[in-house]
Structures are given as C-alpha cells and as structure tokens.
Amino acid sequence: MLNLLHVALPPARRLLGGIWDLTHQTLMMVGLFVVAGGAYLFFRPDAVSMLDRGLTQWVLARKTAAEELQALAQQPGDVLMPAAQAAPQPALPTLDARQRVVSDWLARRYSIAPNAMAQLVSAAWSVGREQRLDPLLILAVMAVESSFNPYAQSSVGATGLMQVMAGVHRDKFAPFGGPQASIDPLANLRVGAVVLKDAIARGGSVRTGLRYYVGATSAASEGGYADKVLAEEAQLQRVAALAAKVQAKRPTKAAATQTARGAASAATART
C-alpha cells in the first residue's frame, strides 16, 4: 500500500505544481495589466474624463431606452392600431371564373397564399395579352422554375419567379430600377415573359423556345425541361377547362329570367 502511495504521489505533486505555476503566472499577467492601465490613466488624465463621459452616456442611454419601452408597454392596444391600419393594402384583383379556378388550384398545389397567387395569375393574364403569350404557359414556367418563390436563386445566379439572369438582361430590368429588381415578382414576371417570347421567336416553336430559355444548347442537354413545362401547361389547361364546363352548365341570368317568365305566363293561361 505504501509503495502505491509513493508511486502515485510524484505525478500528483507535478500536477498540483503545474496548476500552481499557471495560476501564479495568470495573476502576474493580471497584475501587470492593472499596473499598466493605472500608469496610463495617471499620465493621461484626459482618458479618465473620456471614460467617465462614455460610461455616463451609456448609463443615460440605457435609462432612456428602458423608460421608452416601459411607456410603450403601458399604452393601450387601440393607440397602436392606427399605425398598422395605415399600411397600404394591395387591392385584390378581379378574376373571372377560369382565372379563379386556376389560381385556387395553384395556391393549393404549391402552398401559396391565395391572395398572392391571385395577384400572380392576374399579372400572367395581363402580361400574356401584352406579349401575345399563353398566360398558362407563363404560369407553367414559373411553376417549374421557382415553384412560385419570388426569392428563389439558382446555382448559376438566375433569380425570381421565372429565374431570369439579371446580369445578362440588365437592359430589360432598367425600367424597373436595375438588376436588383429581379426579386420583385411583377418585374421578374414581365422581364421573364419578354425573354421567353424572344426565345420562342428564335426557336420557331414553343418547345425549342423553352430549350433556349433554359440556356440548353441541345435537346439532350435540357434535362427534360421543355417536357416539364409543357406538361404543367397541359395540366393547367385541363384545370381551366373544368371552369368552362361548370360555367356552361349554369343557366345564365337572362335564361333563368326568361324561363321564369314563361312558367308564369303558362300558369296565368291555365287559370
């Protein structure tokens, strides 16, 4: 037992000695910093006054901020509401039955807020008329490119709903404030539609135009992009056709009025 103690004591002593040396050196360094700081402040009295002013200003700023927060917390909620209500709210677009069905379907499929999707669908129809493009094709490109995320960015730098290369198309973004406008949904949609129209015109067909739009040099290198967009467009066309069928089955107001009048006339004749 004594032999074991003799064997274990030297390493323990060395460990305790190392801890003591480290503590001693640390305290010496702290002492040196304190002495150096005291000497600096002794020979630089202006530094003392600057430090005092800084601490005083910091304490006053903290006190003022705390008082402002306390006063704000004590205000009733109806006092704060007018500021929130004053924020401009975007007007909801007026969609026809076909556009409404497409908007609702896309909002559910891509988990987008219905009001936001309604804005995009309305804009797609408006831009489609301007550029003579099928609005469903524009929506299909947005779906495949970004899943309707206006802040999406690809590995090569394409941004926005239609994944437009803002640096390449600086001239087209100029009317909207420059390339930084590429994350603005409506600006990106408008520029993307122009780029898509030019690509289709160069390619001679929608399929080839889609290949040019995605920057593929051949059908083999596009990775099935055109097929994805055209399949999405076809799906949207089927969804829009459902709205047309439902609308056709509903009697128009004029027809319903005429039927009611006819029924009333027949009843009068029988009496």
Side-chain angles (χ1 to χ4, degrees), residues 63-142:
K63 183 179 179 181
T64 303
E67 291 175 351
E68 290 177 353
L69 288 174
Q70 186 176 6
L72 185 62
Q74 291 175 352
Q75 289 184 358
D78 54 356
V79 176
L80 302 175
M81 283 300 293
Q85 293 174 350
Q89 299 295 326
L92 294 178
T94 302
L95 304 180
D96 60 27
R98 185 165 175 249
Q99 295 168 350
R100 175 59 60 188
V101 169
V102 170
S103 177
D104 292 344
W105 186 83
L106 286 172
R108 288 193 303 271
R109 181 174 184 184
Y110 291 96
S111 300
I112 304 296
N115 290 346
M117 183 56 72
Q119 296 279 354
L120 295 179
V121 169
S122 176
W125 248 266
S126 176
V127 173
R129 284 192 298 269
E130 293 174 4
Q131 301 298 332
R132 296 185 180 180
L133 289 173
D134 181 4
L136 297 180
L137 176 62
I138 296 175
L139 291 169
V141 170
M142 285 192 282

